[in-house]
Amino acid sequence: MAENTKKWDETGRRYRSYIKLEKRLSENTVESYMRDYMQFAHFILRQWDVAPHKVEPQMVERYMAWLYERGREKTSQARALSGIKSFFNFLMISDKIESSPAEFVLTPKFGRQLPDVLTTAEIDRIIAAVDTSTVKGLRDCAMLEVLYSCGLRVSELTSLRMQDLFFGEGYIRVIGKGDKQRIVPVSSMARDRIQRYLEERRSVRTGEEIVFLNNRGGQLTRVMVFTVLKQAARRAGIEKRISPHTFRHSFATHLLEGGASIRQVQEMLGHESILTTEIYTHLDREHLRRTVEEHLPI
């Protein structure tokens, strides 16, 4: 068993380098894939004690059944299978195997859960609930405005740098997943709030010149952004389930409702595949259905 364990470990190190350097996946995605990889490797070693290139289709199917029996969510099962398929594709590219044992394993079927969406009035209330009498409040206000009006992911917001601000041209440069860059228009409101915050914040030397700093002059964490948003939503009396991603969902939905095309929304959000963006077309139809039900007599 020790010999095959060593082979999984060695292959895992090469696979990590592949998805990080060649596939250019984000650090969070790499870590997620590697956790799934290690769990799969332990299962295969425990059940059959074979090396990676000796895995057979029925072993992958048994692993998926094991995940189901443990009560894993279908979305989690699907993600695990996606990682397994990615790994065996890597082995094929490396000429270690001729075909993938996961190729014909079916992805668990699950319905798409439509994300919660805020109205523009609710977003205005949340941002207005921030106390802007302090530098922290100015930061939080600007941060929430940019999060919504630019449709950013949290990681994109917290890593926004001074050199990414092109206010004269009316846009910001965003570094998305896989270090892919995109240009996003910035509203005059967001621009004004960022400038007011930058004028008032304490001058702190940072190597990366991050725009939104924590109290110690360092980069904000995801948890900090989540906390700021939850506190503002609570003060605004908003009882919906809210996370920073809710702002991104709302941004995309409002664009579609305003007449933007699905391609334009895809570009703004930085989605690699338009299939990812298409959930918002379903969301828009759901919004229309609710509007009809609320305002037309039955």
Side-chain angles (χ1 to χ4, degrees):
M1 185 168 184
E3 181 180 349
N4 286 327
T5 299
K6 184 178 179 181
K7 289 179 179 177
W8 279 95
D9 289 342
E10 291 173 348
T11 306
R13 284 192 288 272
R14 292 198 301 272
Y15 177 56
R16 175 189 282 273
S17 296
Y18 168 73
I19 61 177
K20 182 176 182 179
L21 301 178
E22 294 193 36
K23 298 290 286 184
R24 298 185 70 184
L25 299 183
S26 70
E27 193 62 38
N28 288 335
T29 304
V30 169
E31 292 306 317
S32 176
Y33 268 45
M34 292 311 298
R35 281 194 298 271
D36 287 339
Y37 171 82
M38 293 305 299
Q39 181 171 270
F40 178 64
H42 290 154
F43 180 84
I44 296 297
L45 287 168
R46 189 170 60 250
Q47 296 292 327
W48 294 282
D49 189 20
V50 296
H53 66 282
K54 293 290 187 180
V55 174
E56 299 177 356
Q58 62 267 28
M59 297 178 185
V60 179
E61 291 173 349
R62 183 67 195 92
Y63 175 69
M64 296 306 298
W66 178 74
L67 291 179
Y68 172 79
E69 291 162 1
R70 294 190 68 195
R72 289 277 291 270
E73 296 287 339
K74 288 185 178 180
T75 51
S76 180
Q77 294 175 44
R79 189 201 68 203
L81 181 57
S82 175
I84 292 169
K85 289 183 175 182
S86 169
F87 168 67
F88 285 115
N89 286 339
F90 160 71
L91 291 187
M92 285 196 295
I93 292 171
S94 305
D95 293 326
K96 301 298 182 183
I97 58 176
E98 293 183 359
S99 61
S100 169
E103 182 178 1
F104 298 109
V105 178
L106 297 177
T107 301
K109 302 293 184 187
F110 54 92
R112 278 185 167 177
Q113 182 179 359
L114 297 179
D116 286 333
V117 175
L118 296 166
T119 65
T120 53
E122 287 173 329
I123 288 171
D124 288 342
R125 281 167 53 195
I126 290 172
I127 296 175
V130 176
D131 178 8
T132 56
S133 63
T134 65
V135 176
K136 177 184 178 300
L138 291 173
R139 180 204 67 189
D140 294 348
C141 183
M143 190 169 68
L144 293 180
E145 183 68 43
V146 174
L147 190 66
Y148 166 67
S149 65
C150 295
L152 302 189
R153 301 178 178 94
V154 183
S155 57
E156 295 168 348
L157 177 78
T158 57
S159 61
L160 191 65
R161 302 164 301 173
M162 300 292 286
Q163 56 264 43
D164 295 324
L165 306 178
F166 297 88
F167 287 166
E169 293 81 359
Y171 67 84
I172 61 174
R173 178 175 56 202
V174 179
I175 311 299
K177 290 185 175 181
D179 289 334
K180 293 177 181 175
Q181 297 185 16
R182 69 182 189 276
I183 300 301
V184 178
V186 59
S187 68
S188 58
M189 178 69 76
R191 185 171 63 245
D192 292 345
R193 284 176 168 164
I194 290 175
Q195 288 177 326
R196 187 180 172 199
Y197 160 62
L198 293 178
E199 288 169 2
E200 295 295 330
R201 85 175 190 192
R202 228 175 297 162
S203 177
V204 181
R205 298 181 65 85
T206 59
E208 295 179 308
E209 293 192 33
I210 297 295
V211 174
F212 298 111
L213 302 176
N214 62 28
N215 294 335
R216 297 182 301 279
Q219 184 172 338
L220 289 168
T221 66
R222 293 163 176 255
V223 174
M224 290 176 185
V225 177
F226 187 93
T227 301
V228 167
L229 177 55
K230 294 287 281 187
Q231 289 175 345
R234 188 163 52 247
R235 285 194 294 269
I238 306 296
E239 297 182 355
K240 292 181 179 178
R241 291 179 304 167
I242 295 177
S243 72
H245 220 63
T246 309
F247 269 33
R248 182 169 159 88
H249 290 317
S250 303
F251 164 80
T253 305
H254 297 162
L255 280 180
L256 284 171
E257 291 173 355
S261 71
I262 190 71
R263 288 288 182 187
Q264 289 171 323
V265 175
Q266 177 193 9
E267 185 175 341
M268 291 281 283
L269 294 178
H271 285 160
E272 186 170 343
S273 169
I274 199 167
L275 296 176
T276 309
T277 318
E278 281 182 347
I279 186 175
Y280 295 105
T281 62
H282 299 297
L283 192 93
D284 193 33
R285 287 198 292 271
E286 177 69 11
H287 167 78
L288 291 174
R289 183 189 63 77
R290 286 199 305 269
T291 301
V292 169
E293 290 180 350
E294 289 172 7
H295 298 289
L296 292 182
I298 297 176

